[in-house]
Amino acid sequence: MYKELKFNSVAWIVMVFLILLGYFVSENNSYKTATFIGLISIIKFLIISYQFMEVKNAHVVWKVLIVIFGLIFILSLWLSN
Amino acid sequence: MIVENNSNSKNIFYPPGGILIWFIIILEIFTFLGAVGVFLHYRKLSIAEFEKSQQLLSSMLGTINTLFLITSGYLVANAVQCVNNNQITKAILNLRFGLALGLLFLIIKAFEFFLKINLGIGFTYNTYFTFYWLMTGFHFVHVLFGIGLLFYNLHVVRKEKMTVANKYNLETTAVYWHMCDLIWVLIFPVLYLL
């Protein structure tokens, strides 16, 4: 149980870092690209689903489905630019 | 995961929280992804208008709100782990703080809506803000419903014996709450950061 709580805490710290990174990247226009911001979002998306929602313990179909959603999002961003 | 002790944890019909909530989650993600896709399409057609409209949003306020929502999700995930291991006092603490942060998210969002309305930036202001009001408005309603579920589960954890059914309900609620995080993580960068 403590292992899971530790993993949750690590995931949360990484999320906070990514959220702040996304903010600073968007404020700095020279580094701002839709794809980069999209990639940060997808990493957050995967951390929430795999760690907080415990999809990592689920059947592979659900794991793949989550990854597909992420790919659809990043593809939409890439196509719109 | 509640069914982790059950050999069915890897069964396709037993995703975390149950298969019914996952049908809802899939529908919701598809719907919001669709909205994001259409938004990005219109953004490509009128990029100047969209970038100018985005300046009317505060990315700092959005970022702070994101931090509150994600931290709330973290605390609710911890609460589920604590309940699994019969650490009820810790679970109640995590749920209370998780709820408080969720409420804070709603208050800040409502304040943001109030500011927009005061400036006359309503649903029909322009295409960008039609999407803004639709996406954030629907998300707001989802979070509000999630708050209600969390309140109910907090009551159950505090007052009732944690039966398998109660634990399962908490897990389902937690999965729904994380779905709100998932949706926000998709719409926030698209509306506030691009």
Side-chain angles (χ1 to χ4, degrees):
Chain A
M1 173 225 168
Y2 294 108
K3 202 169 88 171
E4 274 310 314
L5 286 177
K6 210 162 122 181
F7 284 150
N8 279 353
S9 300
V10 169
W12 175 72
I13 290 166
V14 171
M15 292 285 293
V16 169
F17 170 74
L18 290 173
I19 290 164
L20 295 173
L21 180 66
Y23 170 72
F24 286 116
V25 163
S26 75
E27 290 294 299
N28 186 339
N29 280 330
S30 57
Y31 289 102
K32 181 167 136 179
T33 65
T35 314
F36 186 72
I37 288 171
L39 275 169
I40 293 173
S41 304
I42 289 314
I43 295 170
K44 288 188 277 184
F45 186 84
L46 292 174
I47 290 173
I48 292 170
S49 37
Y50 272 71
Q51 181 58 35
F52 292 163
M53 291 170 103
E54 299 188 47
V55 166
K56 64 182 182 183
N57 297 328
H59 190 276
V60 70
V61 161
W62 301 104
K63 292 177 186 173
V64 168
L65 203 56
I66 289 293
V67 172
I68 288 172
F69 284 140
L71 289 173
I72 291 172
F73 177 72
I74 201 85
L75 192 67
S76 313
L77 267 178
W78 183 70
L79 287 172
S80 69
N81 281 295
Chain B
M1 198 157 89
I2 303 295
V3 293
E4 202 161 0
N5 295 329
N6 186 322
S7 59
N8 283 338
S9 63
K10 294 277 184 189
N11 187 312
I12 192 172
F13 297 111
Y14 291 94
I19 195 156
L20 291 179
I21 192 69
W22 273 94
F23 277 141
I24 293 170
I25 287 168
I26 289 165
L27 282 172
E28 297 279 5
I29 293 178
F30 261 127
T31 306
F32 277 91
L33 271 179
V36 164
V38 176
F39 172 88
L40 290 171
H41 167 73
Y42 276 97
R43 182 175 181 269
K44 197 173 177 180
L45 297 177
S46 356
I47 193 137
E49 178 202 310
F50 274 55
E51 285 185 351
K52 194 175 158 195
S53 298
Q54 195 185 54
Q55 300 304 313
L56 296 171
L57 296 183
S58 167
S59 54
M60 182 186 276
L61 202 59
T63 301
I64 290 168
N65 235 6
T66 307
L67 286 169
F68 286 149
L69 194 64
I70 296 303
T71 306
S72 173
Y74 159 69
L75 291 169
V76 169
N78 279 357
V80 172
Q81 291 297 329
C82 290
V83 159
N84 277 352
N85 292 278
N86 292 316
Q87 295 193 307
I88 302 301
T89 313
K90 278 188 182 172
I92 290 169
L93 204 63
N94 276 298
L95 271 177
R96 277 190 174 142
F97 279 113
L99 245 174
L101 287 172
L103 279 167
L104 209 53
F105 174 89
L106 287 180
I107 290 167
I108 292 174
K109 205 79 204 98
F111 174 68
E112 214 183 317
F113 288 159
F114 172 75
L115 286 177
K116 295 286 163 299
I117 290 167
N118 260 4
L119 289 171
I121 302 171
F123 189 79
T124 53
Y125 184 77
N126 62 18
T127 312
Y128 176 91
F129 278 101
T130 301
F131 280 102
Y132 168 82
W133 281 106
L134 273 174
M135 289 199 276
T136 59
F138 274 119
H139 181 260
F140 186 96
V141 170
H142 281 82
V143 173
L144 195 60
F145 186 68
I147 293 281
L149 290 175
L150 285 175
F151 258 121
Y152 169 75
N153 278 277
L154 177 61
H155 167 78
V156 166
V157 172
R158 282 180 63 224
K159 300 286 185 196
E160 294 184 26
K161 191 175 168 205
M162 288 311 292
T163 60
V164 172
N166 286 343
K167 286 182 182 180
Y168 201 74
N169 288 341
L170 175 62
E171 188 181 66
T172 305
T173 298
V175 165
Y176 175 87
W177 190 244
H178 296 312
M179 179 197 73
C180 296
D181 288 347
L182 284 184
I183 293 167
W184 184 250
V185 146
L186 295 180
I187 67 177
F188 166 68
V190 154
L191 287 172
Y192 287 79
L193 301 182
L194 285 184

